[in-house]
Amino acid sequence: MPKGANQKFKLYRLAQIMLECTDEEHYITMPEILKALEAYGITADRKSIYTDLRDLEVLGLEVEGEPMGNRYHYHVVDRPFELPELKLLVDAVQSSKFITEKKSNALIRKLEKLVSKFEARKLQGQVYVSGRIKTMNESIYYTVDAIHHAISTNKKIYFQYYQWNVKKEMELRRGGDWYHISPWGLSWDDENYYLIGFDSGPQQVRHYRVDKMLHIRASEEDREGKSCFKKLNMADYARKSFGMFGGKEETVKILVDNELAGVIMDRFGKDVRLIPVDEKHFTVQVQVHISKQFLGWIFSLGEQVKILSPKEVAGQMEQEAKRLLRQYADGEAE
């Protein structure tokens, strides 16, 4: 049999055919393999394909042949990712506000290549990126990469930080002045990505929305705040900061209705201690950053929760309730 012009690509094309056309539910026969190779300008005989399939297994691609009738049917087994795992990854990408719609679609297309064309259709059936709330900062990939590089090389970073004004215009904070921060980690909270770093000026741990960082560049200065971050648990920091809004850290004692035990554990973890008070209530002590976002979370749980201590925090809750009452008591109905 004459050799095809693309014969040197035979093993690569065979792997491609097996990955694209087979899975646990879809098989391919030897005649179909030969025909698919011919479409790439590659000729082969059955004997050489048997050898090539064994070679693929040595390279890490396991192909299984099963007798069906008078033919063998071949398919790939044990892929790096199972379909349910990829569905989880697709869900994460499409729900992430810090990834633009364009980048989300590009990432999902790459994930689809990890399964057969048949399973890729199942992934496509659950993709709903258009219309979701997404960042408009297309430089997000570069920003994340620059942060990781600065952390690995122990350097500070410079960047500008922006917010949106009422005219829907990008507005630089601090009048466009540069932030000079020591990056120590990245945290994903409430579908947003945050840089957690050390600000040498006030000597404080600060966090910044990654999608609102612009023109990031490396500094020649080494990072500061190492001793501070040795004592800081990143996951714990994110859990204490409601919506990643900062504030003074306090240990707050809360009286909670038993029906909200799941809500408390969802927010603070299963290790939190729930101390029974009576048949209907328990108390819990949690460390949080006191902010309006925390007080708003307490408000949202209604009469089923009450801050017991510290008195200052309970007082802030009272003042916030009075402020809301004043704000709406005198309002005119529309």
Side-chain angles (χ1 to χ4, degrees):
M1 182 178 290
K3 298 289 184 181
N6 298 312
Q7 205 69 19
K8 60 184 177 181
F9 301 118
K10 186 174 72 165
L11 195 61
Y12 167 77
R13 291 301 187 187
L14 178 61
Q16 186 179 358
I17 291 164
M18 298 306 300
L19 288 169
E20 288 181 359
C21 301
T22 75
D23 53 44
E24 292 291 340
E25 298 178 358
H26 298 88
Y27 301 78
I28 191 169
T29 64
M30 184 60 70
E32 289 170 334
I33 292 174
L34 296 174
K35 185 176 180 181
L37 286 171
E38 285 179 7
Y40 288 113
I42 298 169
T43 58
D45 55 39
R46 291 172 177 266
K47 187 175 181 181
S48 68
I49 295 299
Y50 295 140
T51 303
D52 291 336
L53 290 175
R54 287 194 294 271
D55 289 341
L56 287 180
E57 187 167 346
V58 173
L59 295 174
L61 182 62
E62 185 178 352
V63 177
E64 187 176 85
E66 296 182 10
M68 291 187 181
N70 60 349
R71 288 182 175 176
Y72 266 78
H73 290 64
Y74 300 90
H75 70 109
V76 172
V77 295
D78 293 330
R79 290 174 183 262
F81 290 94
E82 295 179 8
L83 186 61
E85 294 172 328
L86 287 174
K87 285 182 177 179
L88 286 175
L89 293 176
V90 168
D91 282 340
V93 170
Q94 66 185 8
S95 65
S96 298
K97 291 191 290 186
F98 68 87
I99 308 177
T100 64
E101 183 174 331
K102 179 181 177 182
K103 293 293 187 184
S104 293
N105 287 321
L107 269 175
I108 291 169
R109 284 195 297 271
K110 291 178 181 179
L111 290 173
E112 289 171 0
K113 293 179 181 179
L114 297 175
V115 292
S116 70
K117 60 185 180 183
F118 308 104
E119 292 187 329
R121 290 175 194 147
K122 295 179 182 179
L123 285 178
Q124 292 162 5
Q126 68 168 45
V127 174
Y128 305 99
V129 174
S130 181
R132 287 176 175 263
I133 297 173
K134 290 283 190 178
T135 181
M136 287 174 276
N137 185 354
E138 287 289 349
S139 64
I140 186 79
Y141 281 14
Y142 170 76
T143 300
V144 171
D145 182 62
I147 291 170
H148 280 300
H149 184 263
I151 291 173
S152 66
T153 55
N154 195 41
K155 295 297 181 183
K156 292 183 180 180
I157 54 173
Y158 287 103
F159 60 89
Q160 290 177 302
Y161 203 54
Y162 78 87
Q163 61 189 4
W164 295 103
N165 63 24
V166 294
K167 297 179 181 179
K168 298 183 180 179
E169 299 170 334
M170 188 184 293
E171 188 175 79
L172 292 177
R173 303 185 70 171
R174 295 185 181 177
D177 285 348
W178 291 82
Y179 290 66
H180 194 198
I181 302 297
S182 300
W184 285 94
L186 289 160
S187 177
W188 192 358
D189 184 81
D190 192 28
E191 299 180 13
N192 289 310
Y193 218 13
Y194 293 88
L195 162 69
I196 300 178
F198 186 76
D199 190 336
S200 302
Q203 294 285 299
Q204 288 182 347
V205 175
R206 297 281 179 88
H207 53 263
Y208 307 88
R209 279 265 299 270
V210 173
D211 60 300
K212 294 188 180 297
M213 297 167 63
L214 295 174
H215 310 129
I216 184 169
R217 56 189 176 87
S219 168
E220 294 297 322
E221 295 183 25
D222 289 342
R223 291 185 301 170
E224 296 181 277
K226 183 176 181 179
S227 59
C228 179
F229 275 85
K230 272 187 175 181
K231 297 179 286 186
L232 181 70
N233 182 304
M234 293 284 191
D236 192 48
Y237 176 83
R239 187 175 68 246
K240 293 174 184 176
S241 304
F242 280 69
M244 292 303 284
F245 283 88
K248 183 182 178 183
E249 185 173 328
E250 296 274 10
T251 300
V252 179
K253 186 176 182 180
I254 309 172
L255 178 68
V256 188
D257 191 294
N258 285 348
E259 291 182 0
L260 297 186
V263 173
I264 296 299
M265 287 188 288
D266 285 344
R267 177 68 220 192
F268 299 104
K270 289 186 177 180
D271 291 335
V272 69
R273 291 186 62 197
L274 311 182
I275 303 174
V277 172
D278 53 39
E279 291 183 356
K280 295 184 178 181
H281 302 86
F282 64 88
T283 60
V284 60
Q285 292 193 95
V286 293
Q287 287 186 303
V288 297
H289 295 149
I290 306 302
S291 64
K292 285 191 175 182
Q293 285 65 36
F294 166 66
L295 299 179
W297 181 73
I298 294 292
F299 266 118
S300 71
L301 299 179
E303 61 185 9
Q304 291 179 293
V305 299
K306 180 180 180 180
I307 295 176
L308 299 179
S309 66
K311 289 184 178 180
E312 294 79 7
V313 178
Q316 289 183 48
M317 193 72 182
E318 181 182 358
Q319 292 303 314
E320 188 67 11
K322 289 179 179 178
R323 182 193 66 76
L324 287 170
L325 186 60
R326 289 194 304 271
Q327 182 174 343
Y328 290 98
D330 298 330
E332 295 181 1
E334 295 183 359

